[in-house]
């Protein structure tokens, strides 16, 4: 078999495995969609999609892969990249560290010793990173974030206004975190505007296929597999992959690294994106969440695919890794 035929055969095998998993896990109805943001509870809980995009732009799509949902915390990864690109590591590290917390994503906890947010994947860190988005006023800053998304998605993203409004109306815990950071001098005195921007970036609508494309872009040294654009600098992708592996899956990150071993980020909208460096992005969407805030079916899909295809980053053979 030629190398190309072998690749196609492996992709077909992968696609078939995803289809089988989708069928087998569809009856799994454990967990509940997030409801602390009231609008998120209105989602159809049965929706279920698996998508993958390779670094050379092949798409695998199973189930409701074209259905849109809000990106939520997965935005934290992209915004961290934007902050690193705009301000450089040193400036960002003064405000946000890289230590996993073991606390829930919305814990009101700061790194007291360093006077900074613990890491960019928990709400405190993400709000501090959002504070760093440049622009004069909310509209300009929303535009800055939107155009970042546009580079990742290859199209201009929509914001779910109802979710945005719902977060704004109920996000008092995030408000508490933000004002605490203001009182410590970690963020600037434009808290309501920064929170509004944070809620907006969480309310961006994506599909599972979009998430897989984002993953493939980061996996591809920051180059979008289809547009060819350098979306984020290669050295920044290293930092993104590191925090995704250590802090990306809420307070389940350690178990995830152990059992799945793929840098990933999840969101309370039910999405999970996994990034296989040099190979591609893998995404699942299913809104029923476990107690950590991770999609129940999503975890199962990643666990099983990682096993079956030996995707763990530290797997001795990593057969999917292409020779660079
Ligand atoms: N907008 C959500 C919040 O701030 C994001 C949470 C998440 O997806 O983890 O609570």
């Amino acid at each position: 078999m030629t190398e190309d035929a072998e690749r196609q055969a492996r992709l077909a095998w992968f696609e078939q495995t995803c289809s089988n998993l989708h069928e087998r896990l569809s009856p799994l109805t454990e967990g509940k969609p997030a409801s602390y943001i009231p609008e998120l509870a209105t989602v159809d809980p049965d929706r279920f999609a698996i998508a993958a995009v390779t670094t050379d732009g092949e798409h695998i799509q199973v189930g409701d892969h074209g259905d849109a949902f809000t990106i939520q915390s997965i935005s934290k990864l992209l915004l961290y990249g934007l902050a690193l690109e705009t301000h450089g590591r040193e400036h960002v590290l003064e405000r946000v560290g890289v230590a996993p917390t073991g606390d829930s994503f919305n814990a009101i906890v700061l790194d007291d010793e360093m006077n900074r947010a613990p890491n960019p994947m928990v709400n405190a860190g993400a709000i501090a990173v959002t504070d760093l988005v440049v622009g004069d006023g909310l509209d300009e800053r929303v535009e800055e974030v939107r155009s970042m998304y546009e580079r990742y998605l290859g199209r201009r993203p929509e914001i779910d206004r109802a979710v945005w409004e719902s977060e704004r109306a109920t996000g008092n815990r995030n408000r508490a975190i933000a004002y605490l950071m203001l009182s410590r001098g970690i963020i600037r005195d434009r808290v309501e505007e920064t929170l509004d921007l944070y809620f907006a970036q969480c309310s961006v609508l994506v599909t599972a296929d979009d998430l897989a494309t984002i993953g493939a872009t980061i996996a591809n040294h920051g180059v979008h597999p289809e547009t060819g654009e350098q979306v984020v600098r290669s050295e920044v992708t290293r930092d993104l992959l590191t925090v995704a592996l250590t802090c990306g899956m809420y307070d389940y990150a350690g178990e995830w690294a152990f059992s799945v071993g793929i840098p990933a980020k999840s969101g309370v909208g039910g999405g999970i994106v996994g990034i296989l460096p040099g190979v591609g992005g893998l995404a699942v969407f299913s809104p029923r969440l476990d107690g950590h805030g991770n999609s129940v079916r999503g975890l199962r899909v990643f666990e099983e695919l990682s096993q079956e295809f030996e995707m763990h980053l530290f797997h001795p053979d990593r057969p999917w890794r292409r020779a660079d």
Side-chain angles (χ1 to χ4, degrees), residues 239-305:
D239 295 343
L240 301 187
L241 287 161
T242 309
V243 296
L245 185 64
T246 55
C247 316
M249 298 300 288
Y250 303 123
D251 42 344
Y252 188 69
E255 286 94 330
W256 173 274
F258 192 76
S259 61
V260 178
I262 298 173
K265 183 72 200 94
S266 91
V268 294
I272 301 180
V273 62
I275 306 151
L276 288 99
V279 179
L282 176 62
V284 180
F285 164 53
S286 169
R288 288 195 186 90
L289 309 180
D290 65 13
H292 298 280
N294 293 317
S295 165
V296 175
R297 286 175 183 153
L299 284 188
R300 287 286 296 275
V301 170
F302 270 92
E303 266 162 17
E304 297 207 20
L305 287 177

Side-chain angles (χ1 to χ4, degrees), residues 118-237:
N119 73 64
M121 302 295 109
V122 292
N123 288 10
I127 294 167
V129 158
T130 304
D131 179 53
L132 295 175
V133 173
V134 297
D136 192 10
L138 182 65
D139 291 350
E140 245 184 73
R141 295 172 77 208
V142 168
E143 197 42 49
E144 172 77 7
V145 169
R146 255 197 160 148
S147 62
M148 173 205 70
Y149 274 116
E150 196 169 349
R151 294 194 294 278
Y152 274 106
L153 302 180
R155 65 174 165 75
R156 203 172 152 74
E158 292 299 321
I159 295 175
D160 186 321
R161 301 271 158 183
V163 173
W164 188 6
E165 191 45 56
S166 189
E167 292 211 40
R168 198 190 272 139
T170 58
N172 288 330
R173 202 177 165 91
N174 287 323
R175 232 163 240 122
I177 296 171
Y179 279 101
L180 178 64
M181 290 196 292
L182 174 66
S183 78
R184 302 268 180 93
I186 300 171
I187 63 173
R188 274 169 292 177
D189 192 4
R190 47 175 183 181
V191 176
E192 291 302 327
E193 180 186 302
T194 291
L195 281 166
D196 223 359
L197 179 59
Y198 169 74
F199 297 139
Q201 83 210 13
C202 290
S203 305
V204 161
L205 286 164
V206 288
T207 65
D209 190 58
D210 288 333
L211 288 186
T213 303
I214 291 171
T217 300
I218 298 172
N220 195 30
H221 308 289
V223 177
H224 191 293
E226 278 142 319
T227 66
E229 190 177 351
Q230 184 83 50
V231 174
V232 56
R233 282 203 307 273
S234 183
E235 64 265 33
V236 170
T237 64

Side-chain angles (χ1 to χ4, degrees), residues 82-92 131-134 188:
L82 182 64
L84 290 170
E85 293 240 293
T86 313
H87 303 281
R89 251 182 169 189
E90 206 180 313
H91 186 87
V92 178
D131 179 53
L132 295 175
V133 173
V134 297
R188 274 169 292 177

